[in-house]
Amino acid sequence: MDGFLLSRADRTLRTAGARSRYDSASAAITALADGDTELVVGALPFDPARRAALTAPDSWEFTSGPWQPGQVAELPPVRVARQVPEPAEHVARVGALVDRLRSGALGKVVAARSVVLASETPVDPETLAARLIQSNPRANGFAVDLTSAGDGFRGHSLVGASPEVLISRRGRAITCRPLAGTAPRRTDPAADEREGLGLLDSTKNLAEHAFVTAWIEEVLAPLCTELSVPDAPVLTSTHEVWHLATPIRGLLRDPATDALSLATLLHPTPAVCGTPSDLALAAIRETEEERRFYGGAVGWCDAQGDGDWVVAIRCAEITADGLEVLATAGGGIVADSDPQSELDETTAKLRTLLGALGAVVAE
Ligand SMILES: C=C(O[C@@H]1C=C(C(=O)O)C=C[C@H]1O)C(=O)O
């Protein structure tokens, strides 16, 4: 695919072509400021030291409501080719992180793992995005061409359905909806409700959540004349999991502060990285395989500075030939995390993508 799609509950952006490509947010911000383009779309990688995949599209269209893809084609069958790392190794990594969290300066770190799916015929990124959006039109569904990030990403795409908004800006008004703290959904309605209410009451999950809201408040407070960060999170859900969410609103001091700049200041939040940020990022670089665009941000920014950026979770990277799909999920680890439950949490989160592809990983 050569375009970009972001489907949100209130509106959808679809673009075609790439008039210019930028591998850094700063280059894209300069292009917007210089009047070289009216719109920039794309993805920021998890690791801010890596190349971004941003483009100035040839054409674009905003429509109201979630994307209506019409008749959606079948996706080809996929099989689990390998897991990276193997589940037992993920459990061991989380165990080692818990030891570090108990003894050191690290307060929270997010641990992620991947499943590589293989297909005999190409998986089409837009078809996968359509399936995800049909299954949950409230999610922030996306499909992004990663070519602008250069070697290793040409023709690759990132497809997902994120429940988490990093930053949205309309004029001076900004909103964020960070998530952190997770519990599984249950098929029995009473058990399901108990899981949700239990999450709202869980000291461990409330602590995981508070690291994220504290970070967002610290970054945004100096930039805002008004900032409202509720004291306690609310419950939200996807088909697969319950989450704690905090709706944050603010008014920018300087109307020139654009959405893409805000995204780069906020990213990576402790929802995907940890606290303190620099130590958590160092621990992730040491422990994990390169995250590429998983855990990054996907969105758009226009020449007025408005834009939407969602956290790149519940997503997968599809290779240029469409034959390999790398799905990744993670979870916040704190000193009292249980490694096996953390593995189960990533399995539940992976189900968003794997379910749309008709694949299963063993519990
Ligand atoms: C990191 C992921 O999700 C994030 C981590 C969460 C948690 O640790 O509870 C919850 C929601 C997201 O902010 C993911 O889905 O891969």
Side-chain angles (χ1 to χ4, degrees), residues 33-57:
D34 290 352
D36 294 344
T37 179
E38 273 293 305
L39 184 73
V40 164
V41 296
L44 304 175
F46 167 72
D47 189 328
R50 303 258 166 185
R51 288 170 164 198
L54 300 166
T55 59

Side-chain angles (χ1 to χ4, degrees), residues 275-344:
T275 303
S277 274
D278 50 348
L279 291 186
L281 184 56
I284 291 166
R285 282 175 175 154
E286 256 168 55
T287 324
E288 278 179 26
E289 290 67 29
E290 168 56 33
R291 284 189 182 178
R292 305 170 69 87
F293 283 86
Y294 158 75
V298 165
W300 59 273
C301 183
D302 69 14
Q304 286 69 50
D306 286 345
D308 290 334
W309 291 85
V310 303
V311 182
I313 52 175
R314 316 303 142 83
C315 63
E317 183 179 330
I318 305 178
T319 50
D321 61 11
L323 301 183
E324 220 174 74
V325 180
L326 176 75
T328 308
I333 315 297
V334 289
D336 54 352
S337 289
D338 167 52
Q340 182 60 45
S341 314
E342 295 301 335
L343 177 71
D344 297 344

Side-chain angles (χ1 to χ4, degrees), residues 58-120:
D58 283 326
S59 61
W60 60 89
E61 185 182 32
F62 283 101
T63 48
S64 73
W67 186 39
Q68 311 271 351
Q71 187 76 26
V72 180
E74 288 292 311
L75 286 164
V78 295
R79 63 182 172 81
V80 175
R82 56 188 191 280
Q83 303 197 47
V84 188
E86 285 300 326
E89 170 62 13
H90 184 75
V91 171
R93 288 180 184 178
V94 172
L97 288 171
V98 166
D99 290 342
R100 262 167 93 166
L101 286 153
R102 285 183 183 162
S103 59
L106 208 51
K108 171 180 175 177
V109 62
V110 174
R113 70 185 187 98
S114 301
V115 174
V116 180
L117 304 161
S119 172
E120 299 291 320

Side-chain angles (χ1 to χ4, degrees), residues 21 37 61 67 73 148 158 199 203 215 218 274 287 291 326:
R21 297 188 177 278
T37 179
E61 185 182 32
W67 186 39
S148 301
L158 190 74
L199 181 62
T203 317
W215 163 265
E218 191 184 314
T287 324
R291 284 189 182 178
L326 176 75

Side-chain angles (χ1 to χ4, degrees), residues 130-347:
R131 291 252 165 238
L132 289 164
I133 293 160
Q134 273 183 336
S135 145
N136 184 3
R138 284 184 307 134
N140 302 288
F142 57 84
V144 188
D145 171 23
L146 299 176
T147 297
S148 301
D151 287 348
F153 292 98
R154 287 198 183 91
H156 289 223
S157 40
L158 190 74
V159 178
S162 173
E164 185 164 6
V165 180
L166 179 66
I167 187 82
S168 180
R169 175 199 184 273
R170 298 288 183 274
R172 287 179 58 208
I174 56 170
T175 51
C176 310
R177 197 164 168 279
L179 306 180
T182 304
R185 299 296 306 270
R186 303 282 178 201
T187 36
D188 171 58
D192 190 41
E193 192 184 329
R194 268 200 305 281
E195 283 287 358
L197 294 175
L199 181 62
L200 265 182
D201 239 15
S202 154
T203 317
K204 169 190 166 280
N205 281 283
L206 288 165
E208 276 182 55
H209 191 83
F211 281 120
V212 185
T213 48
W215 163 265
I216 291 176
E217 192 163 7
E218 191 184 314
V219 173
L220 293 182
L223 303 174
C224 290
T225 52
E226 283 172 38
L227 186 66
S228 140
V229 183
D231 290 338
V234 294
L235 204 53
T236 187
S237 65
T238 67
H239 294 316
E240 297 77 25
V241 285
W242 291 103
H243 284 309
L244 299 176
T246 296
I248 295 175
R249 297 185 170 280
L251 267 189
L252 289 171
R253 194 177 295 283
D254 179 356
T257 309
D258 65 274
L260 179 50
S261 300
L262 288 165
T264 62
L265 291 171
L266 289 164
H267 172 75
T269 78
V272 290
C273 184
T275 303
S277 274
D278 50 348
L279 291 186
L281 184 56
I284 291 166
R285 282 175 175 154
E286 256 168 55
T287 324
E288 278 179 26
E289 290 67 29
E290 168 56 33
R291 284 189 182 178
R292 305 170 69 87
F293 283 86
Y294 158 75
V298 165
W300 59 273
C301 183
D302 69 14
Q304 286 69 50
D306 286 345
D308 290 334
W309 291 85
V310 303
V311 182
I313 52 175
R314 316 303 142 83
C315 63
E317 183 179 330
I318 305 178
T319 50
D321 61 11
L323 301 183
E324 220 174 74
V325 180
L326 176 75
T328 308
I333 315 297
V334 289
D336 54 352
S337 289
D338 167 52
Q340 182 60 45
S341 314
E342 295 301 335
L343 177 71
D344 297 344
E345 183 175 318
T346 54
T347 306

